[in-house]
């Protein structure tokens, strides 16, 4: 399996996704946009993972490589290859398919629960839809949200942000939250983004975020494994 990881900043790497890929003997390629925005042939990618970052998908003037990145994501999705977007990555999938990305009413930073969409799928939809758990606590670190792309199915929501997870077609999933975090990657994002940890309704402080992490990693990593297994089997 040839996996390509699109990484936007040094401190938001693949985390536990790297463990999943290594366990399956994947050939892992990376595009590190802060170093070089070179992208591979979309047809050579068996699995695409689009990571997070502090920039907006709308910052094309400041980060012109966003234009080529969105085009690349759309091409990989169109080829029917499995695609996973995390936080900014989910927003990029949405934007690449014509959906609007904009500031959410509240920033959401910390360990908060998300719930599976209440929509009742029919039998055909159930067979082709990732079975998101009824409720689970995940790490959030985002200030923007997005409209769902045309044809996308909502998978999960939270009180602070309705569009938390979506599926586009049979093999592309976007997550606003971070299932991939490990102790070291969580520390990295806290160290680089602690200026965002200001008092807010849906913002936890540093001690709470770090102190609760060990109690959630096993469940978030298991869900990450299930989602990746499902994507590559779908």
């Amino acid at each position: 399996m040839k996996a390509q990881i699109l990484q936007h900043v040094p401190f938001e790497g693949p985390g536990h996704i790297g463990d999943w890929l290594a366990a399956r003997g994947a050939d892992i390629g990376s595009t590190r946009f802060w170093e070089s925005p070179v992208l591979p042939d979309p047809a050579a990618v068996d699995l695409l993972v689009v990571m997070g970052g502090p920039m907006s998908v709308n910052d094309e003037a400041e980060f012109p490589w966003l234009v080529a990145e969105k085009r690349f994501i759309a091409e990989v999705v169109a080829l029917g290859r499995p695609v996973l977007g995390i936080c900014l990555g989910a927003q990029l999938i949405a934007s690449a398919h014509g959906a609007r990305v904009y500031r959410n009413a509240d920033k959401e930073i910390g360990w908060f629960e998300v719930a599976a969409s209440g929509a009742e799928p029919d039998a055909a939809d159930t067979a082709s839809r990732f079975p998101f758990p009824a409720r689970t606590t995940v790490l959030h670190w985002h200030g923007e949200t997005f409209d769902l792309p045309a044809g996308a199915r909502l998978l999960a929501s939270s009180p602070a942000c309705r569009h938390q997870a979506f599926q586009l077609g049979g093999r592309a999933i976007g997550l606003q939250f971070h299932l991939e975090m490990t102790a070291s990657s969580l520390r990295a994002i806290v160290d680089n983004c602690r200026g965002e940890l200001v008092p807010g309704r849906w913002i936890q402080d540093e001690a709470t975020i770090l102190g609760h992490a060990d109690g959630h990693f096993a469940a978030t990593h298991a869900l990450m494994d299930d989602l990746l297994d499902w994507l590559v089997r779908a």
Side-chain angles (χ1 to χ4, degrees):
M1 177 170 56
K2 171 64 176 176
Q4 186 71 19
I5 297 172
L6 306 186
Q7 189 172 342
H8 305 97
V9 288
F11 59 86
E12 290 203 47
H16 180 70
I17 296 170
D19 299 334
W20 182 91
L21 291 169
R24 286 150 184 81
D27 178 6
I28 305 171
S30 296
T31 298
R32 298 178 174 90
F33 286 102
W34 70 95
E35 294 177 345
S36 173
V38 176
L39 292 160
D41 177 359
V45 176
D46 298 316
L47 169 65
L48 178 63
V49 179
V50 190
M51 301 307 305
M55 64 285 292
S56 169
V57 304
N58 301 310
D59 291 341
E60 293 177 357
E62 185 177 358
F63 304 104
W65 42 260
L66 283 165
V67 177
E69 182 181 17
K70 292 177 195 178
R71 183 168 58 246
F72 177 79
I73 291 169
E75 290 172 348
V76 177
V77 172
L79 287 169
R81 307 296 166 80
V83 177
L84 172 63
I86 294 172
C87 201
L88 174 66
Q91 296 162 10
L92 283 163
I93 295 173
S95 180
H97 291 86
R100 186 172 63 105
V101 178
Y102 50 94
R103 187 178 298 277
N104 195 41
D106 296 286
K107 281 192 173 182
E108 191 175 20
I109 304 176
W111 297 98
F112 298 108
E113 190 177 76
V114 294
S117 168
E120 290 293 337
D122 58 27
D125 188 50
T126 299
S128 63
R129 180 189 184 103
F130 175 71
F132 200 89
R135 294 187 178 276
T136 189
T137 298
V138 297
L139 181 75
H140 304 263
W141 203 301
H142 65 94
E144 291 194 313
T145 187
F146 48 83
D147 294 334
L148 291 181
R153 292 172 284 185
L154 183 64
L155 296 179
S157 300
S158 76
C161 183
R162 173 164 169 74
H163 294 160
Q164 285 285 357
F166 70 92
Q167 183 177 329
L168 183 62
R171 306 194 77 182
I173 288 179
L175 308 175
Q176 273 278 59
F177 44 86
H178 297 269
L179 300 177
E180 83 286 1
M181 286 290 171
T182 62
S184 59
S185 60
L186 178 58
R187 169 55 72 181
I189 196 172
V190 168
D191 287 347
N192 283 274
C193 300
R194 62 165 46 90
E196 296 183 60
L197 300 179
V198 298
R201 182 183 180 192
W202 299 105
I203 301 178
Q204 294 173 345
D205 59 30
E206 179 175 340
T208 300
I209 291 171
L210 295 175
H212 289 186
D214 285 345
H216 295 302
F217 282 148
T220 57
H221 291 173
L223 180 54
M224 183 86 271
D225 291 347
D226 288 347
L227 192 154
L228 288 166
D229 287 342
W230 185 90
L231 272 178
V232 299
R233 286 198 309 260

